[in-house]
Amino acid sequence: MIGKTYTTMLGGRELSIETGKLAKLVSGSVTVRYGDTILLVTAQARDEKSPLDFLPLTVEFEERHYAVGKIPGSFHRREGRPGEKAILSARITDRQIRPLFPKGYRHETQVIITVISADQQNAPDVLGPIGASAALSISDIPWGGPTACVRVGQIDGQYVVNPTTEQLARSRMDLVVAGTREAVMMVECGAQTVSEDDLVGAIEYAHSEMQGVIDLIERMRAELGQEKFNILSEGDLTPDLVPELTEKARAGGLRDALLTVRKKDRSARTKAVRDGIIASYVPDPEAEGAAARIAALKEAYAKVEKKELRRLILEEDLRADGRNSRTVRPIWIEARPLPRAHGSAIFTRGETQVLGVATLGTERDEILVDDLTEDTGDKFLLHYNFPPYSTGEVKRMGGQSRREIGHGHLAKRAIRAVLPSFEEFPYVIRLVGEVLESNGSSSMATVCAGTLALMDAGVPIKAPVAGVAMGLVMEGESYRVLTDILGLEDALGDMDFKVCGSAEGVTALQMDIKVGGITPQIMREALAQAREGRLHILGKMAEVLAGPRPELSPTAPRIVSLKINPELIGKVIGPGGKQIRELEAMGAQITVEEDGTIRVFSASGEAAEAVRARIQGLTKEAKVGEEYEGTVVKTAPFGAFVNLYPGQDGMLHISQISEERLNAVEDALNVGDKLQVKIANIDDRGKIDLIRPELEGKIAPREPRGPRPDRGDRPPRPPRRD
């Protein structure tokens, strides 16, 4: 038998991992199956060490359209660059496995996840991390796993592991959790405003449910795991210098330099301390061997700076800009800085600044989705832009980075929870977060700026939302949770924990851990402190905009909706689309749905109302008993034809025109005359009989026209005379 399969139960369904059958030349290769969703996951590392000074790890998530029996929709009909869903799925795996590579590991490593079958009920994104954990565990690559990953939903108050697509649509939360045997490593969540207690409960539940998967991977590693290769390391060239450099740095003013409020000033002051110390060791930087000595000293000094910053936080509750652990940086906000945008706002917190811009469009503006899901479009877009100038740097600019896509997705989940339904507010909404300055938590500033921009545009959101990034410094049993972290605290700390929500609860959450994991107690404390910070930020936002503006922005286009009898859609479209083209020529875009819903979109409210009135006229249905002021459009010996509204005439019989007997219709009425009429009858052919309401009861009513006889019931025609 080729290959070996390991199975366990997860969420009441079988999860199987098979190895030894496919892609056997790679260091670690497995297929993961859950329902009819199957992923091939491989892990490979280069033998030689990379010269880079960071971990060169890449994770690729490849969606194959054949997995759902589709041909790609691209011009070349083949898969191209990864879509947003694939990039987000790759990031989930990357964030789970990256912290567990050994310190100093510098071998280029690649994990490739290929979706080869998808049943559209069991999501592949949480299976990729499981496959990566298994492939790395049985490979020769040094790695500190195993880990596992599960999704948790909440339906009718109950937690559900790995809910199906149908179940997830009914869930109050979409929570993805990854962890080791001992602790949680990564959390990603979007929610319909849930409490902090519900979130912690779901995370604990997820961690307990993933233990069976960890058992399975450990069994695979014990039976099939290869011997890990040795890491080629040059070792620490300066182990004895750190204590000595620490004394010199403290004497040289490192503490005061670290507590400098502004980022540029702090960097300049800490660099001056470092350069002064290095100069005392290497007076002549041009001397032989000086470059290597300087590099070693810089490496040692970086450890001193990190250690001193962490000591200040833990022992003195002082942070890099002088704040304590619970203080949010100063905030200033400006609403509607852009006069022509539909909605805009600037949100500044410390040295992080985001310009949020809202644009309202029609259904034609929704983004098309071409992935392995059944979704075809999205009516809410959020784009997060992070230009190099926001950090005072010069870099090559190209397409969106994976980081930009990930940060934008988090902000999108946070805000989507409070948007009105499309039926309530029939606009496609695009939000753009332009990061103008960045020194920590730019994604959370995007949530705040985006919310303000929506309210400025007059979008009736359910509640304002805000976001705050939390940090953690932990040494042994001692730890401190930090509110509103700086970029430096993110880099040198142990956790990046972003929490978004309204005053009522959490709408989105993202957590990445750089240590072995955190306990539920630390999570509860971080969530409680995040709520305190979030309410403070919401209060600052309310000082500028307490809620959506009562009227839609004057620059925003107008959409009016109406519903007609579906059988009358043809009247709106017209032969060959002639009628709808005439309507759109009045200055509007029109969408018509099969159920008779029509939406008119125009930059001018007057034009939109004019088009709506025209459509109502075209599709108006007459009813017996209704009265109209009509216009005579034609006369005949037997009566007058009266136009009731555009496209609809009725017949006023000569006997119903006057109390007196008329020899001719023209004795009382002429073309162009206006008069009040009432519908007396509508026959099976839609023909309308009219009466004059002021004469009702004064003259005998005319017998209504009966049903049209079938051809077989008609009397035979007399023979034709030649």
Side-chain angles (χ1 to χ4, degrees):
M1 180 179 178
I2 299 176
K4 187 169 184 179
T5 303
Y6 296 79
T7 63
T8 188
M9 298 302 292
L10 180 62
R13 284 161 286 165
E14 184 178 85
L15 171 77
S16 67
I17 304 179
E18 184 179 32
T19 188
K21 182 178 179 180
L22 304 179
K24 296 186 291 296
L25 295 180
V26 74
S27 179
S29 170
V30 300
T31 54
V32 182
R33 179 166 185 164
Y34 197 59
D36 283 342
T37 296
I38 304 174
L39 281 69
L40 170 65
V41 186
T42 62
Q44 184 65 50
R46 289 187 184 274
D47 294 333
E48 59 278 0
K49 184 178 179 180
S50 168
L52 300 173
D53 61 352
F54 58 87
L55 171 61
L57 169 68
T58 57
V59 177
E60 304 293 343
F61 194 94
E62 300 287 309
E63 292 182 321
R64 297 291 186 252
H65 282 65
Y66 58 70
V68 291
K70 287 171 58 177
I71 294 174
S74 65
F75 178 79
H76 296 289
R77 294 298 187 264
R78 69 172 297 161
E79 293 83 2
R81 57 185 299 180
E84 183 174 298
K85 179 68 175 176
I87 289 172
L88 295 170
S89 299
R91 281 174 58 85
I92 288 175
T93 299
D94 187 298
R95 290 159 51 202
Q96 171 190 292
I97 65 177
R98 186 176 290 272
L100 297 179
F101 283 93
K103 188 176 182 181
Y105 179 79
R106 295 292 183 267
H107 294 257
E108 188 174 354
T109 303
Q110 188 175 49
V111 173
I112 301 177
I113 303 163
T114 308
V115 184
I116 56 178
S117 178
D119 60 15
Q120 298 184 327
Q121 285 299 310
N122 297 289
D125 57 350
V126 292
L127 302 180
I130 292 174
S133 174
L136 287 167
S137 294
I138 65 174
S139 74
D140 63 350
I141 301 169
W143 186 65
T147 58
C149 182
V150 298
R151 171 176 272 110
V152 172
Q154 188 183 43
I155 302 173
D156 299 328
Q158 301 296 316
Y159 296 130
V160 179
V161 173
N162 284 2
T164 63
T165 301
E166 183 274 328
Q167 289 175 317
L168 196 59
R170 297 184 286 114
S171 175
R172 292 188 65 230
M173 68 172 69
D174 178 3
L175 175 74
V176 175
V177 181
T180 62
R181 172 78 69 195
E182 294 78 21
V184 170
M185 298 291 298
M186 185 276 296
V187 178
E188 179 91 21
C189 180
Q192 296 297 321
T193 314
V194 300
S195 70
E196 284 80 0
D197 286 342
D198 280 351
L199 273 177
V200 174
I203 292 169
E204 290 181 302
Y205 181 72
H207 189 244
S208 65
E209 289 293 312
M210 69 177 63
Q211 298 304 313
V213 179
I214 292 174
D215 290 340
L216 181 149
I217 297 174
E218 285 185 337
R219 191 163 73 250
M220 291 181 65
R221 182 175 61 183
E223 295 179 14
L224 304 174
Q226 305 169 51
E227 182 179 354
K228 304 297 184 181
F229 63 75
N230 292 324
I231 301 174
L232 300 177
S233 176
E234 299 172 358
D236 191 344
L237 301 177
T238 57
D240 300 327
L241 275 177
V242 172
E244 183 179 327
L245 287 176
T246 300
E247 291 184 13
K248 287 180 176 290
R250 287 176 178 171
L254 177 60
R255 181 181 187 279
D256 290 341
L258 287 173
L259 297 179
T260 304
V261 175
R262 293 183 59 82
K263 178 182 177 181
K264 282 189 174 181
D265 296 340
R266 182 169 56 252
S267 297
R269 291 185 65 179
T270 54
K271 183 177 181 296
V273 173
R274 183 197 68 184
D275 291 348
I277 293 172
I278 291 175
S280 69
Y281 284 94
V282 188
D284 182 7
E286 302 298 327
E288 185 177 352
R293 182 67 170 162
I294 289 173
L297 285 165
K298 285 182 178 180
E299 181 181 343
Y301 177 83
K303 295 176 183 177
V304 170
E305 189 174 300
K306 177 178 179 179
K307 187 176 180 180
E308 180 64 9
L309 178 63
R310 293 169 67 89
R311 184 198 68 78
L312 284 169
I313 291 170
L314 289 172
E315 296 180 8
E316 302 184 42
D317 195 15
L318 283 173
R319 298 162 64 179
D321 56 359
R323 287 179 294 151
N324 65 23
S325 57
R326 307 180 82 92
T327 302
V328 177
R329 288 172 288 175
I331 293 172
W332 72 264
I333 296 166
E334 181 182 345
R336 197 167 291 181
L338 308 182
R340 298 304 301 169
H342 300 161
S344 60
I346 297 172
F347 179 86
T348 306
R349 186 185 57 241
E351 293 182 305
T352 295
Q353 183 179 79
V354 173
L355 169 65
V357 186
T359 307
L360 306 179
T362 69
E363 289 174 272
R364 299 180 185 183
D365 297 312
E366 71 177 345
I367 189 170
L368 301 180
V369 177
D370 186 27
D371 57 20
L372 303 187
T373 68
E374 294 181 338
D375 297 333
T376 57
D378 192 349
K379 294 179 173 61
F380 176 45
L381 296 71
L382 193 149
H383 297 145
Y384 166 97
N385 297 322
F386 193 85
Y389 65 75
S390 64
T391 54
E393 298 175 287
V394 176
K395 293 181 180 177
R396 181 180 178 183
M397 295 185 67
Q400 269 195 309
S401 68
R402 293 191 170 196
R403 177 186 177 279
E404 286 176 298
I405 290 173
H407 280 41
H409 179 68
L410 175 61
K412 181 178 181 179
R413 296 182 91 172
I415 294 174
R416 187 193 287 277
V418 298
L419 291 178
S421 68
F422 189 72
E423 289 69 31
E424 296 170 315
F425 189 72
Y427 287 87
V428 169
I429 300 172
R430 183 190 186 217
L431 273 180
V432 177
E434 299 284 1
V435 182
L436 308 180
E437 301 173 19
S438 179
N439 186 12
S441 305
S442 58
S443 62
M444 298 297 90
T446 299
V447 173
C448 301
T451 297
L452 289 161
L454 288 174
M455 294 195 295
D456 179 55
V459 178
I461 62 174
K462 299 169 187 174
V465 293
V468 61
M470 310 299 293
L472 175 73
V473 173
M474 178 184 289
E475 297 287 350
E477 297 297 319
S478 178
Y479 68 89
R480 198 177 293 276
V481 176
L482 308 177
T483 298
D484 182 24
I485 58 174
L486 301 170
L488 180 63
E489 292 167 336
D490 184 7
L492 303 184
D494 300 320
M495 176 181 77
D496 183 10
F497 193 11
K498 299 181 176 75
V499 187
C500 313
S502 67
E504 299 300 318
V506 177
T507 58
L509 181 149
Q510 186 181 90
M511 181 181 76
D512 292 295
I513 298 296
K514 302 173 188 177
V515 291
I518 64 172
T519 64
Q521 174 56 36
I522 296 177
M523 249 185 295
R524 285 192 174 88
E525 186 175 330
L527 283 167
Q529 199 166 313
R531 177 176 174 77
E532 178 185 295
R534 185 172 79 246
L535 292 176
H536 169 77
I537 296 168
L538 285 169
K540 292 293 184 182
M541 292 167 60
E543 292 175 7
V544 179
L545 278 176
R549 296 192 189 276
E551 299 291 336
L552 205 62
S553 168
T555 59
R558 268 44 182 175
I559 290 182
V560 295
S561 299
L562 65 157
K563 192 152 187 174
I564 66 170
N565 184 338
E567 295 180 1
L568 300 177
I569 289 176
K571 286 191 173 183
V572 179
I573 304 297
K578 178 182 178 181
Q579 183 62 62
I580 200 167
R581 286 195 298 272
E582 290 181 2
L583 291 170
E584 291 193 331
M586 295 171 65
Q589 292 182 14
I590 302 170
T591 61
V592 183
E593 299 180 7
E594 291 182 359
D595 66 352
T597 299
I598 297 179
R599 295 188 178 92
V600 180
F601 178 93
S602 175
S604 164
E606 293 181 359
E609 289 297 337
V611 172
R612 173 164 66 175
R614 180 78 176 273
I615 293 173
Q616 287 175 329
L618 288 170
T619 59
K620 187 174 179 63
E621 294 183 272
K623 295 181 181 179
V624 173
E626 289 184 341
E627 293 188 18
Y628 298 89
E629 183 183 40
T631 303
V632 177
V633 293
K634 182 181 178 182
T635 59
F638 51 82
F641 290 93
V642 181
N643 179 251
L644 308 179
Y645 48 82
Q648 184 63 66
D649 295 344
M651 197 272 288
L652 181 64
H653 194 268
I654 190 171
S655 66
Q656 304 297 309
I657 294 176
S658 172
E659 290 185 71
E660 301 176 358
R661 180 181 178 85
L662 300 176
N663 294 320
V665 171
E666 289 79 8
D667 292 342
L669 293 175
N670 291 292
V671 173
D673 289 350
K674 294 185 181 299
L675 72 163
Q676 197 73 14
V677 292
K678 181 178 179 180
I679 297 177
N681 179 62
I682 303 175
D683 70 10
D684 63 329
R685 293 171 292 172
K687 301 297 184 182
I688 297 174
D689 288 333
L690 302 174
I691 59 173
R692 299 186 69 174
E694 67 269 23
L695 301 179
E696 196 171 8
K698 296 181 180 180
I699 57 177
R702 179 173 175 265
E703 286 295 324
R705 284 176 280 188
R708 187 176 184 177
D710 293 334
R711 184 171 297 275
D713 297 333
R714 294 178 181 175
R717 292 181 178 180
R720 181 176 179 182
R721 296 180 180 178
D722 294 332

